[in-house]
């Protein structure tokens, strides 16, 4: 027979849990300058999947529209007449901003307005004078392969060399290959240059599409991840602060969930327990193992499980579609892979997440799903269903 808990102790720990959840967020909070979230209009030609990036601290959109207290030095953005968002990197020129991630990782994803990122990387790309550093720095070697060269060693599975059409001429093809996989002596092409490419993800092999940068100062990622607002402290200082962030490490919505899920039934329980206490008072010596950290741990382990990727058999179980020469698309309006932002080409293989019917390049979505168990477009999670 299980020992019945001592009611006084149960009430005390329940009260402690409620106090922990309800009172801590109201302990001293830093007031910060709050600026609205703005964005450029977005160009009509832009990918239907990608709304214009939302601009918030430390980024600031043009000096006229937002006070200097809305942005951190080095993070100014502007809009092109066509509605795109632009970032000027000192010494490297202007880049189109494709997206900005604010938390938990801080990153900005950039493309070349003239659609030839490799040319930008090979000419005068440098982050030395900027506030950014590469998100995932990876060395790539560019090769100049004259026509008639046997490219099969470069196309083998382990090497993953990619042609760079915007640098290629009528009598030669420029290829890019991860330097680590490139063996100078075994390949026929002439090596041009080796550069560091700031990749968006670890597994990325295509230098053509986008680059991703991150920044260390100001660090707002963990503040925003806890539901806080990040900005200059409102007392005219140049210090950056975080306001209204939850202290327990739970996001704000998780906290409300816990308050509703635990608090309300808890109060009902309290009433029941109170009548139990007044009814009969039989003490046992078994303390109740229940406090707030147990609940936090439970929720933390839950969210960790959700953010993990899928295993290979699950990923492989999703249907693949090979595009024909006519490039007839499974969904006529989906012409672009939402992950790498490249248009689908004839003969390419796509993969779809059947439950939400979204299509991606097979390489792009496989890499993504290994890290995240959700559809990058609609956040549908196969694991939630199983
Ligand atoms: C770097 O290249 C860009 C584009 O090619 C050009 O606009 C810019 O003037 C160059 N900057 C320097 C410092 O050479
Ligand atoms: C590649 O090599 C050819 C000669 O084989 C040369 O004409 C061409 O300019 C080179 N291309 C680049 C981008 O270096
Ligand atoms: C903040 O600075 C502005 C001008 O720099 C000044 O007018 C204002 O009084 C200052 N506010 C505080 C609270 O110090």
């Amino acid at each position: 027979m299980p020992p019945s808990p001592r009611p006084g102790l149960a009430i005390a720990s329940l009260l402690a849990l409620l106090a922990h959840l309800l009172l801590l967020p109201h302990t001293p909070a830093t007031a910060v300058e709050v600026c609205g979230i703005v964005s450029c209009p977005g160009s009509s030609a832009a990918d239907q999947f990608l709304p214009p990036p939302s601009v918030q601290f430390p980024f600031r959109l043009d000096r006229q529209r937002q006070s200097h207290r809305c942005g951190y030095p080095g993070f100014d953005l502007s809009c092109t007449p066509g509605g795109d968002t632009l970032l000027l990197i000192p010494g490297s020129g202007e880049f189109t901003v494709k997206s900005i991630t604010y938390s938990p990782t801080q990153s900005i994803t950039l493309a070349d307005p003239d659609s030839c990122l490799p040319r930008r990387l090979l000419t005068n790309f440098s982050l030395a004078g900027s506030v950014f550093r590469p998100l995932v720095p990876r060395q790539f070697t560019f090769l100049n392969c004259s026509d008639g060269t046997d490219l099969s060693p470069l196309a083998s599975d382990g090497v993953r060399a990619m042609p760079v059409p915007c640098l290629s001429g009528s009598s030669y093809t420029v290829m890019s290959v991860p330097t680590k996989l490139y063996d100078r002596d075994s390949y026929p092409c002439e090596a041009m240059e080796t550069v560091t490419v700031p990749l968006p993800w670890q597994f990325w092999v295509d230098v053509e599409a986008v680059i991703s940068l991150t920044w260390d100062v100001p660090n707002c990622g963990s503040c925003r991840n806890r539901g806080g607002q990040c900005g200059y402290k409102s007392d005219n200082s140049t210090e950056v602060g975080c306001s209204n962030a939850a202290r327990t490490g739970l996001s704000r919505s998780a906290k409300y969930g816990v308050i509703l899920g635990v608090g309300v039934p808890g109060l009902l329980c309290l009433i029941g327990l109170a009548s139990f206490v007044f009814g009969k008072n039989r003490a046992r010596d078994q303390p109740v193992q229940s406090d707030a950290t147990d609940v936090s741990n439970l929720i933390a382990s839950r969210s960790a499980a959700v953010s993990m990727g899928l295993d290979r058999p699950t990923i492989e179980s999703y249907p693949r579609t090979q595009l024909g020469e006519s490039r007839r698309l499974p969904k006529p309006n989906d012409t672009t892979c939402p992950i790498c932002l490249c248009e689908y080409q004839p003969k390419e293989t796509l993969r779809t997440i059947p439950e939400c019917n979204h299509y991606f390049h097979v390489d792009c979505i496989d890499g993504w799903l290994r890290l995240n168990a959700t559809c990058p477009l609609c956040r549908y999670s196969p694991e939630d269903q199983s």
Side-chain angles (χ1 to χ4, degrees):
M1 191 181 90
S4 74
R6 207 194 289 178
L9 206 54
I11 292 174
S13 51
L14 202 58
L15 281 177
L17 169 64
L18 285 178
H20 185 78
L21 289 167
L22 294 169
L23 299 181
L24 264 180
H26 300 295
T27 47
T30 322
V32 299
E33 308 249 345
V34 177
C35 301
I37 300 175
V38 295
S39 64
C40 292
S43 69
S44 51
D47 316 74
Q48 55 191 312
F49 300 112
L50 277 185
S54 78
V55 177
Q56 47 182 301
F57 189 85
F59 291 96
R60 182 179 63 143
L61 207 54
D62 69 59
R63 290 145 207 277
Q64 291 83 10
R65 278 171 56 191
Q66 290 195 290
S67 122
H68 75 283
R69 303 279 293 168
C70 289
Y72 204 78
F75 290 85
D76 277 353
L77 303 175
S78 59
C79 299
T80 63
D84 281 329
T85 315
L86 275 190
L87 171 72
L88 174 67
I89 299 180
S92 305
E94 284 179 325
F95 291 84
T96 307
V97 180
K98 286 287 184 184
S99 66
I100 306 176
T101 305
Y102 292 94
S103 80
T105 307
Q106 308 187 117
S107 71
I108 182 168
T109 297
L110 305 173
D112 177 25
D114 297 325
S115 307
C116 193
L117 206 46
R119 180 177 294 132
R120 303 287 300 271
L121 294 168
L122 285 171
T123 46
N124 61 12
F125 186 74
S126 160
L127 294 174
S130 87
V131 293
F132 302 103
R133 63 179 172 82
L135 185 60
V136 180
R138 208 32 61 87
Q139 298 267 302
F140 277 80
T141 299
F142 286 81
L143 309 171
N144 184 348
C145 304
S146 49
D147 267 3
T149 318
D150 173 20
L151 296 181
S152 52
L154 285 172
S156 76
D157 215 28
V159 177
R160 314 296 294 270
M162 304 282 283
V164 184
C166 71
L167 291 180
S168 302
S170 53
S171 61
Y172 60 92
T173 304
V174 172
M175 309 280 283
S176 72
V177 54
T179 305
K180 245 203 306 204
L181 304 174
Y182 172 62
D183 172 4
R184 195 167 294 266
D185 302 327
S186 311
Y187 299 122
C189 309
E190 179 198 341
M192 292 163 63
E193 217 172 316
T194 294
V195 295
T196 301
V197 180
L199 296 183
W201 290 302
Q202 204 75 12
F203 54 82
W204 208 257
V205 290
D206 190 358
V207 295
E208 188 98 25
V210 288
I211 53 173
S212 287
L213 310 178
T214 184
W215 62 95
D216 300 313
V217 180
N219 185 354
C220 292
S222 65
C223 166
R224 290 209 167 96
N225 202 34
R226 288 177 290 141
Q229 280 175 316
C230 194
Y232 280 120
K233 289 186 178 166
S234 42
D235 58 359
N236 266 6
S237 76
T238 53
E239 246 182 284
V240 172
C242 178
S243 73
N244 298 330
R247 297 285 176 107
T248 55
L250 301 183
S251 76
R252 204 181 289 182
S253 52
K255 189 177 288 277
Y256 289 141
V258 169
I259 289 172
L260 283 179
V262 177
V264 174
L267 279 175
L268 293 176
C269 251
L270 268 182
I271 296 168
L273 273 171
S275 51
F276 174 81
V277 171
F278 290 123
K280 45 179 165 180
N281 210 339
R282 208 178 59 193
R284 294 266 177 119
D285 287 324
Q286 198 74 26
V288 182
Q289 290 295 317
S290 150
D291 65 20
T293 40
D294 285 348
V295 177
S296 309
N297 288 344
L298 180 73
I299 287 168
S301 63
R302 270 257 194 113
S303 48
V306 166
S307 68
M308 262 165 40
L310 300 177
D311 55 14
R312 179 145 284 286
T314 312
I315 297 175
E316 286 300 336
S317 73
Y318 292 158
R320 298 161 72 115
T321 314
Q322 169 124 37
L323 293 180
E325 204 63 69
S326 68
R327 216 184 55 150
R328 220 162 57 109
L329 296 162
K331 284 169 105 182
N333 291 331
D334 284 5
T335 57
T336 312
C337 171
I339 296 182
C340 68
L341 311 177
C342 305
E343 277 206 21
Y344 298 130
Q345 302 299 323
K347 297 270 170 64
E348 281 187 323
T349 308
L350 312 188
R351 199 192 286 290
T352 173
I353 299 180
E355 287 83 355
C356 59
N357 206 21
H358 285 131
Y359 286 82
F360 310 90
H361 282 127
V362 69
D363 286 346
C364 298
I365 190 63
D366 287 13
W368 168 273
L369 289 176
R370 255 174 268 143
L371 301 174
N372 310 276
T374 55
C375 170
L377 277 187
C378 64
R379 305 282 162 200
Y380 165 84
S381 169
E383 283 194 338
D384 280 355
Q385 306 302 309
S386 56

